[in-house]
Amino acid sequence: MKRNKVIAGNWKMYKNNSEAQQLANQIKIRSTEIKKTEIILCPPFSALALVHEQVKDSSIAVGAQNLYWEKEGAFTGEISAGMIKSCGAAYVIIGHSERRQYFGETDATVNKRIKAALAEGLKAIVCVGESLDQRESGVTAKVIETQVTAGLEGLSKDDMKNLIIAYEPVWAIGTGKTATPEQAQEVHAQIRGLIDAQFGSDVAEKIKIQYGGSVKPENAETLLSQPDIDGALVGGACLKAETFLPIIQAAELL
Ligand code: 13P
């Protein structure tokens, strides 16, 4: 089954508001030819509303990078799904490896966050991926299986329509080391198989699975042409229009 690609830029903790406005505007102006490929910009919370304002007359979507699962309350420093929605965002990244590594995110909290996002009508980009140690000790498949099955526990087939999975091997994030297209394809196919087992083949065929980890203009086409790679979650290369746009264009041409 042919699935249109989805390219998301995870801006992480980069870009103040004037830089964010400028980058969003450049991407909007220079992506008017893009018709099939979905583009999602994920700026920091502080620039969400501003970036939405900048791209709202285009087909570019906006996403947050995290959320807290409670609706509201005394949770200093946290942001709810409803608050994200009110900034005009349609997506939220959940369970990024940096959240898991530095902020104690677990499969159980990933699961709560996904449910809170979906309940508010947000779509979730759910990240999974193994560390270097895990890859080298041969437990990649096991780690991915646990993250997918525990992370998505209790979701319905309908919920899955609003989910994207991002496979991001931790050792490839920000290191310049990209998984080979074959390594990435192998895990993507495994993830699709897990979704098939958990939710059925109709869901598995449709779900989009992005690859993330040092995606650049130079490697985008070979990665994106793998049968189970439906897009990219881009970090470093999404911070400049000159390096983000060629990745989107590579996706559009496939
Ligand atoms: P890099 O593209 O900088 O490796 O980051 C990938 C990533 O973590 C996207 O979420």
Side-chain angles (χ1 to χ4, degrees):
M1 174 178 180
K2 182 141 170 64
R3 293 171 292 268
N4 286 340
K5 309 284 186 204
V6 51
I7 307 293
N10 175 6
W11 296 13
K12 306 193 179 181
M13 200 175 76
Y14 290 98
K15 306 292 177 191
N16 65 28
N17 277 1
S18 65
E19 293 163 341
Q21 190 166 20
Q22 199 182 5
L23 178 59
N25 199 37
Q26 285 172 350
I27 294 166
K28 179 177 77 170
I29 291 168
R30 291 160 66 181
S31 64
T32 50
E33 306 286 282
I34 304 298
K35 303 290 176 221
K36 302 180 302 189
T37 305
E38 187 174 11
I39 305 170
I40 309 169
L41 306 183
C42 303
F45 288 132
S46 47
L48 263 187
L50 188 70
V51 168
H52 167 68
E53 190 57 33
Q54 206 63 36
V55 300
K56 67 176 188 214
D57 56 346
S58 75
S59 58
I60 298 174
V62 177
Q65 300 172 16
N66 183 30
L67 57 69
Y68 189 57
W69 55 80
E70 294 290 347
K71 277 192 188 324
E72 60 182 11
F75 304 106
T76 302
E78 295 299 314
I79 308 270
S80 72
M83 291 167 185
I84 290 169
K85 190 115 192 272
S86 75
C87 293
Y91 283 91
V92 57
I93 298 172
I94 294 177
H96 190 279
S97 66
E98 286 149 18
R99 303 286 329 160
R100 295 179 191 254
Q101 198 176 341
Y102 307 130
F103 302 99
E105 192 88 56
T106 64
D107 293 330
T109 59
V110 164
N111 186 261
K112 285 185 172 196
R113 286 183 163 89
I114 297 171
K115 287 175 177 161
L118 298 178
E120 201 60 47
L122 288 172
K123 296 177 184 176
I125 301 177
V126 181
C127 304
V128 298
E130 81 287 3
S131 66
L132 184 59
D133 267 5
Q134 291 166 331
R135 176 156 285 262
E136 286 177 344
S137 51
V139 295
T140 298
K142 185 74 209 136
V143 169
I144 299 296
E145 182 181 348
T146 306
Q147 289 178 345
V148 171
T149 47
L152 307 185
E153 197 186 300
L155 300 186
S156 68
K157 282 187 178 216
D158 258 2
D159 289 336
M160 293 301 288
K161 291 184 187 146
N162 294 314
L163 228 72
I164 294 174
I165 312 276
Y167 169 56
E168 298 205 308
V170 178
W171 49 273
I173 295 178
T175 57
K177 274 192 211 166
T178 319
T180 64
E182 296 73 27
Q183 281 173 324
Q185 166 57 27
E186 187 185 4
V187 179
H188 280 238
Q190 185 210 347
I191 293 171
R192 204 175 298 285
L194 291 166
I195 302 289
D196 189 329
Q198 210 167 340
F199 299 98
S201 59
D202 47 337
V203 174
E205 267 181 31
K206 290 201 187 103
I207 191 146
K208 299 202 181 170
I209 309 176
Q210 297 176 311
Y211 169 78
S214 300
V215 176
K216 306 185 243 328
E218 305 82 63
N219 59 25
E221 191 192 332
T222 45
L223 284 162
L224 292 169
S225 39
Q226 296 298 311
D228 287 296
I229 301 188
D230 308 312
L233 181 55
V234 185
C238 81
L239 297 174
K240 287 192 185 136
E242 302 82 72
T243 43
F244 192 47
L245 285 156
I247 298 172
I248 298 167
Q249 280 147 2
E252 182 77 359
L253 291 176
L254 286 168

